[in-house]
C-alpha cells in the first residue's frame, strides 16, 4: 500500500497532527494479533487530542491499508476496493477504531461489519488521559440454530486479549464456505434470497413472494429464503432501511446466497446502490421475467421481442461505471448482452434497439397480411388467454391433438401457436394460444409482446382460462380483465372457462359457473370439453348445437402455415 491518504473529517487538524496520523500507515501488526498495545495507545492518544474518532483498516498480513478520521460520534469507512469476494469469504480487512467515551459497539459499527463483511469490528474506548480503555470486538457468525448474526466478545483491555485472530477468522470462513458446500459439484445455479418491501398489506406481499418464488424457479434460480419487509417509509436509495440491509447481507453470507431478487421494480440507482453496499448481484422482478423469456423464446419473433425488451431495460442502467455495471448486466448466469467499454456499449445498444424495432415492424406487416388473408377466407378466430399457468396450452393441445409444451411453471409458452379446429357442418375456426398474463406486467414487456398481443385484435372470441384451484384465482381474473381493458380488447366477446375443476369440489365449480356465466373443464381431460364446445358454437354462430353432434376433437388437427 503506497497511498497515505487520510480519509474523513480532517479539516481543522494541525499539520503536525496530520503527520502523526499519517504515520499510522507505517504500523504493522503480527498477523495473529487483533491489535497491539502500541497501536491501541497510538490511536487513543491521537483521538483524545483531536476529539474525533480515529480508525484504521488492517489487512490479514497486519498492514494498515486505510486511515480514517471521524467526528466525536462516528466514523465512515472509505469505499473499499471491490474485489469480488469468493463464496464464504470475508473481506480480509478488520476495522480498529476509537470511541471517545466508554461506549460499546454502535449500530453503525455492526452495520459496517455486516455489509462490508469485515473480518472484525473493534472499538477501543479512549480514557480521559488518552490511554486505551476497554476494547469491544465483534465478528460475523455462520448459520446457527439460534439465528444469531454476530458475536460480540466480552470487553477486555487491549493488552489482555488472548485470541488467535488468524485461527478464528479462517475457521469462520471454513464454516461460511460449508454453507456453500451443500451445492453439488457443477451446479452453477444462482442461489437467491427474495425480498419484498411494502408499506402495508403483509398478506399481499407474502402471496406476491409465492409467485416470485415460482418465477425464480422457472428461471433456474435456487431460492434460499424469502422475506417481507414492512416499512412506513421506503428508503429512496436502498428501498430497505440500513438495518435490514445489514441483516440481509449477513443472511446471504450465512446461507451461501449470491443473489437478491426484489419483488419491487428497482430504479437503476437503487439496484446499483444495493449491489454496491452488499457486494451481491441484485435484480428485480422485471429482470427475472425477462430472463425467463430469454430462456424460453425460440421463434424469430419471440427472440427479437425479448432482446428488445432486455435492451430497453438495460439502457438506463448503463449510466454507471463499468465495475458496477458488470454486476447488473451480468444478470443471472450472465445471459445479458456481452460487455465492452461503457460508452461503446451505450451506442451499440441504441443502434441495436433501432434495428430490432425495424425488424419487428417488418414482421408485424407480414403478420397483418396473413391475418387479412385469413379474414378474407372468413375463418373465425378464437384466442385462448389467461393468467400464466392457468392451462391455456393444455386446452389447445386437448382440443386440437397437439403437443405444444405445457408445464407447471410460469411462462411455459412464449411462442404461441395457432391451430385449426373443425366443428360440425364443415365449420372451421382458428384457435390460438397466447403468452400468459401476470400481475404488474412490466411496461417494457407489454411493449415487447405488443406484436403478439396485437393478434388478439382479430379474435372473434376470447376464451379466458382461469385456474380455479389457485388460491388467488379472483385476483388473477381481475389482472387479466384489467390488461384486456388496457389493450383495448374489452369489446371482444369473452367466455370465461374455469379450468382444473378436478382439483376443487364439484359444487364450487358449478356455483361459480352459474355466478359468472362460465363453463368449467379439466383441460387435460377431453371428456369434460363438450359443454365448452357447445358454448363456443353458440357464441360464434349464434345458434345452439345440432343434436347430431360429432366430437370435433376426433378430427385431425392441422397446423397452420
Ligand atoms: N389438475 C389439472 N392440471 C391441469 C389442468 N390443466 C392444466 N393443468 C396443468 O397446469 C400446468 C400449466 O398448464 P399449461 O397448459 O402449461 O398452462 P398455460 O396457461 O399454457 O401456462 P403458460 O403458458 O406458462 O402461461 C401444467 O402442469 C398442466 O398439466 C387441469 O384441468 N387439471
Ligand atoms: Mg402455455
Amino acid at each position: 500500500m503506497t497511498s497515505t491518504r487520510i480519509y474523513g473529517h480532517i479539516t481543522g487538524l494541525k499539520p503536525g497532527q496530520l503527520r502523526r496520523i499519517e504515520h499510522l500507515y507505517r504500523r504493522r501488526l503480527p498477523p495473529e494479533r487483533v491489535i497491539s498495545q502500541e497501536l491501541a495507545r497510538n490511536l487513543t492518544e491521537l483521538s483524545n487530542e483531536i476529539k474525533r474518532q480515529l480508525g484504521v483498516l488492517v489487512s490479514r498480513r497486519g498492514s494498515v491499508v486505510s486511515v480514517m478520521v471521524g467526528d466525536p460520534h462516528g466514523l465512515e469507512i472509505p469505499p473499499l476496493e471491490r474485489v469480488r469476494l469468493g463464496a464464504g469469504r470475508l473481506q480480509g480487512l478488520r476495522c480498529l477504531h476509537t470511541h471517545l467515551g466508554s461506549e460499546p459497539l454502535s449500530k453503525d459499527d455492526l452495520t459496517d461489519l455486516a455489509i462490508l463483511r469485515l473480518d472484525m469490528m473493534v472499538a477501543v474506548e479512549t480514557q480521559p488521559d488518552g490511554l486505551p480503555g476497554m476494547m469491544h470486538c465483534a465478528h460475523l457468525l455462520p448459520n446457527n440454530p439460534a439465528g444469531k448474526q454476530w458475536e460480540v466478545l466480552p470487553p477486555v483491555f487491549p493488552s489482555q486479549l488472548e485470541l488467535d485472530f488468524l485461527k478464528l477468522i479462517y475457521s469462520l470462513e471454513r464454516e461460511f464456505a460449508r454453507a456453500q458446500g451443500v451445492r453439488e459439484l457443477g451446479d452453477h445455479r444462482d442461489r437467491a434470497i427474495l425480498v419484498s418491501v411494502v408499506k402495508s398489506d403483509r398478506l399481499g406481499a407474502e402471496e406476491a413472494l409465492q409467485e416470485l418464488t415460482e418465477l425464480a424457479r422457472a428461471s433456474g434460480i435456487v431460492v434460499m429464503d424469502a422475506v417481507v419487509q414492512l416499512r412506513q417509509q421506503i428508503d429512496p436509495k436502498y428501498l430497505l432501511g440500513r438495518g435490514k440491509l445489514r441483516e440481509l447481507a449477513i443472511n446471504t453470507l450465512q446461507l451461501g446466497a449470491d443473489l437478491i431478487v426484489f419483488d419491487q421494480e428497482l430504479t437503476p440507482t437503487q439496484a446499483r446502490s444495493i449491489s454496491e453496499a452488499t457486494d451481491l448481484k441484485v435484480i428485480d422482478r422485471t429482470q427475472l421475467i425477462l430472463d425467463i423469456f430469454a430462456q424460453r423464446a425460440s421463434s424469430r419473433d419471440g427472440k427479437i421481442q425479448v432482446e428488445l425488451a432486455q435492451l430497453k431495460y438495460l439502457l438506463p442502467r448503463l449510466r454507471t461505471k463499468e465495475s458496477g455495471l458488470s454486476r447488473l448486466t451480468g444478470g443471472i448466469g450472465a445471459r445479458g448482452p456481452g460487455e465492452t467499454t461503457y460508452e461503446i456499449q451505450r451506442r451499440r445498444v441504441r443502434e441495436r434497439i433501432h434495428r430490432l424495432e425495424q425488424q419487428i415492424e417488418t414482421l408485424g406487416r407480414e403478420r397483418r397480411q396473413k391475418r387479412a388473408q385469413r379474414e378474407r377466407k372468413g375463418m373465425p378466430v378464437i384466442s385462448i388467454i389467461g393468467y400464466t399457468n392457468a392451462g391455456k396450452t393444455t386446452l389447445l393441445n386437448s382440443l386440437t391433438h397437439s403437443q405444444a409444451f405445457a408445464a407447471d411453471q410460469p411462462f411455459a409458452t412464449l411462442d404461441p401457436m395457432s391451430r385449426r379446429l373443425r366443428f360440425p357442418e364443415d365449420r372451421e375456426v382458428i384457435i390460438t394460444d397466447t403468452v400468459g398474463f401476470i400481475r404488474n406486467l412490466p411496461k417494457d414487456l407489454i411493449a415487447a409482446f405488443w406484436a403478439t398481443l396485437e393478434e388478439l385484435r382479430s379474435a372473434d372470441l376470447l376464451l379466458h382460462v382461469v385456474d380455479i384451484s389457485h388460491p388467488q384465482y379472483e385476483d388473477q381474473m381481475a389482472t387479466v380483465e384489467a390488461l384486456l381493458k388496457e389493450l383495448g380488447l374489452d369489446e371482444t366477446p369473452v367466455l370465461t372457462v374455469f379450468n382444473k375443476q378436478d382439483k376443487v369440489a364439484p359444487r364450487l365449480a358449478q356455483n361459480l359457473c352459474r355466478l359468472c356465466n362460465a363453463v368449467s373443464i379439466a383441460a387435460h381431460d377431453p371428456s369434460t370439453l363438450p359443454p365448452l364446445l357447445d358454448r363456443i358454437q353458440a357464441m360464434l354462430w349464434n345458434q345452439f348445437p345440432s343434436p347430431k353432434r360429432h366430437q370435433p376433437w376426433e378430427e385431425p388437427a392441422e397446423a397452420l402455415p
Side-chain angles (χ1 to χ4, degrees):
M1 192 76 199
T2 46
S3 157
T4 53
R5 171 167 172 201
I6 303 169
Y7 295 90
H9 298 253
I10 51 172
T11 36
L13 296 184
K14 297 188 186 116
Q17 291 170 331
L18 283 172
R19 205 169 42 246
R20 276 184 292 147
I21 293 172
E22 200 181 282
H23 278 182
L24 288 169
Y25 274 110
R26 299 192 192 164
R27 289 275 166 196
R28 278 197 152 262
L29 286 174
E32 64 284 350
R33 298 279 301 279
V34 172
I35 194 169
S36 64
Q37 175 67 14
E38 296 72 35
L39 179 57
R41 187 170 167 164
N42 221 223
L43 286 171
T44 51
E45 277 176 353
L46 277 165
S47 192
N48 191 43
E49 189 180 328
I50 63 175
K51 297 290 177 233
R52 298 176 200 185
Q53 290 194 4
L54 182 63
V56 290
L57 290 178
V58 180
S59 73
R60 292 231 177 123
R61 286 170 182 277
S63 25
V64 173
V65 302
S66 304
V67 174
M68 53 266 175
V69 178
D71 60 25
H73 311 290
L75 183 85
E76 213 166 282
I77 295 183
L80 301 178
E81 238 173 73
R82 283 285 160 187
V83 211
R84 187 59 188 268
L85 297 180
R89 295 298 300 272
L90 296 168
Q91 188 65 255
L93 294 174
R94 59 186 176 280
C95 174
L96 314 176
H97 74 295
T98 58
H99 280 178
L100 288 186
S102 55
E103 41 180 76
L105 290 169
S106 70
K107 250 189 183 167
D108 283 343
D109 289 338
L110 292 167
T111 300
D112 284 341
L113 170 72
I115 290 183
L116 302 173
R117 289 207 214 171
L118 296 175
D119 288 354
M120 196 175 260
M121 175 57 83
V122 178
V124 187
E125 293 176 5
T126 307
Q127 294 184 338
D129 56 5
L131 288 176
M134 285 291 185
M135 178 169 92
H136 307 267
C137 304
H139 61 79
L140 296 175
L141 277 181
N143 212 359
N144 56 82
K148 269 180 84 172
Q149 298 206 305
W150 55 72
E151 181 78 41
V152 180
L153 307 178
V156 285
F157 286 106
S159 56
Q160 291 172 334
L161 185 70
E162 285 182 28
L163 176 77
D164 187 333
F165 176 73
L166 284 184
K167 199 168 151 196
L168 170 74
I169 290 306
Y170 283 110
S171 78
L172 283 177
E173 282 196 335
R174 269 193 296 278
E175 278 186 70
F176 282 125
R178 213 167 296 145
Q180 302 262 327
V182 191
R183 198 187 284 242
E184 280 177 25
L185 213 65
D187 181 357
H188 297 302
R189 289 178 302 170
D190 281 292
R191 294 151 69 98
I193 293 188
L194 313 183
V195 185
S196 177
V197 188
V198 286
K199 285 194 176 156
S200 56
D201 188 17
R202 188 178 173 104
L203 180 66
E206 292 287 357
E207 282 163 357
L209 277 184
Q210 274 315 96
E211 188 171 86
L212 195 66
T213 305
E214 294 304 314
L215 289 168
R217 290 214 182 100
S219 111
I221 291 172
V222 183
V223 176
M224 308 297 292
D225 200 3
V227 287
V228 171
Q229 239 269 290
L230 285 179
R231 282 194 73 77
Q232 292 307 314
Q233 267 162 357
I234 303 290
D235 185 307
K237 187 166 178 200
Y238 294 114
L239 210 65
L240 309 148
R242 290 268 291 168
K244 197 68 193 177
L245 200 61
R246 170 183 71 197
E247 250 176 59
L248 201 60
I250 302 177
N251 256 335
T252 52
L253 183 65
Q254 290 182 329
L255 294 172
D258 48 13
L259 174 69
I260 309 179
V261 185
F262 280 89
D263 193 46
Q264 283 68 31
E265 196 158 338
L266 299 175
T267 65
T269 324
Q270 283 168 340
R272 200 157 49 234
S273 312
I274 302 170
S275 176
E276 277 170 10
T278 57
D279 203 32
L280 289 163
K281 280 192 285 187
V282 173
I283 63 169
D284 63 13
R285 182 168 174 273
T286 307
Q287 217 172 339
L288 190 58
I289 295 176
L290 277 170
D291 191 74
I292 301 173
F293 279 25
Q295 292 179 51
R296 293 283 152 69
S298 58
S299 72
R300 191 157 147 251
D301 267 27
K303 282 189 175 151
I304 293 175
Q305 282 162 4
V306 172
E307 192 186 343
L308 184 61
Q310 277 187 312
L311 292 177
K312 280 190 170 165
Y313 180 85
L314 196 62
L315 195 60
R317 287 162 173 79
L318 285 179
R319 221 170 295 142
T320 169
K321 291 199 304 283
E322 215 162 335
S323 57
L325 179 73
S326 57
R327 237 172 289 137
L328 290 173
T329 53
I332 313 161
R335 271 185 294 267
E339 282 166 58
T340 50
T341 61
Y342 138 73
E343 268 309 328
I344 298 176
Q345 209 176 21
R346 269 180 79 76
R347 201 183 61 231
R348 288 214 182 123
V349 167
R350 262 195 237 98
E351 286 167 3
R352 182 93 188 128
I353 286 179
H354 184 63
R355 218 167 325 126
L356 291 172
E357 278 172 343
Q358 283 176 332
Q359 287 180 23
I360 283 184
E361 175 57 33
T362 316
L363 288 169
R365 227 176 295 140
E366 286 169 14
R367 247 199 311 262
R368 276 193 289 277
Q369 278 165 4
K370 259 194 221 150
R371 202 192 311 151
Q373 280 169 8
R374 226 188 275 152
E375 274 161 11
R376 246 174 274 135
K377 283 190 193 160
M379 256 197 254
V381 176
I382 300 175
S383 286
I384 306 179
I385 56 150
Y387 209 81
T388 187
N389 211 35
K392 302 177 292 297
T393 307
T394 309
L395 177 60
L396 184 86
N397 284 343
S398 286
L399 285 173
T400 65
H401 296 283
S402 310
Q403 255 101 43
F405 177 64
D408 191 10
Q409 60 184 40
F411 302 117
T413 307
L414 256 217
D415 297 303
M417 62 175 198
S418 297
R419 286 282 186 273
R420 279 175 206 214
L421 173 63
R422 217 162 275 161
F423 280 89
E425 296 169 26
D426 267 343
R427 280 169 174 160
E428 263 190 335
V429 300
I430 290 167
I431 185 156
T432 64
D433 195 3
T434 47
V435 176
F437 291 0
I438 196 163
R439 85 188 160 90
N440 294 342
L441 191 64
K443 280 274 175 298
D444 281 347
L445 284 183
I446 300 187
F449 282 85
W450 182 250
T452 324
L453 296 174
E454 205 187 26
E455 289 276 281
L456 291 175
R457 290 187 186 292
S458 60
D460 299 284
L461 175 62
L462 301 176
L463 296 185
H464 176 183
V465 178
V466 181
D467 172 0
I468 32 167
S469 71
H470 197 284
Q472 270 88 53
Y473 80 92
E474 283 166 306
D475 293 340
Q476 297 187 339
M477 283 176 80
T479 298
V480 172
E481 280 154 15
L483 265 168
L484 285 180
K485 200 160 192 182
E486 207 170 307
L487 296 171
L489 292 167
D490 40 348
E491 297 292 312
T492 315
V494 180
L495 174 56
T496 306
V497 181
F498 287 126
N499 188 31
K500 309 197 188 178
Q501 65 173 18
D502 54 299
K503 290 172 84 177
V504 299
R507 178 69 52 85
L508 175 75
Q510 284 160 15
N511 286 346
L512 278 176
C513 282
R514 218 168 303 130
L515 210 67
C516 308
N517 194 19
V519 197
S520 85
I521 60 164
H524 60 280
D525 175 4
S527 75
T528 64
L529 301 181
L532 169 63
L533 289 156
D534 289 350
R535 281 290 291 275
I536 294 176
Q537 287 201 71
M539 287 181 82
L540 278 183
W541 294 290
N542 265 331
Q543 65 163 61
F544 293 102
S546 55
K548 181 169 83 20
R549 160 166 42 85
H550 69 186
Q551 308 271 335
W553 53 87
E554 283 168 3
E555 304 268 341
E558 251 178 77
L560 289 173

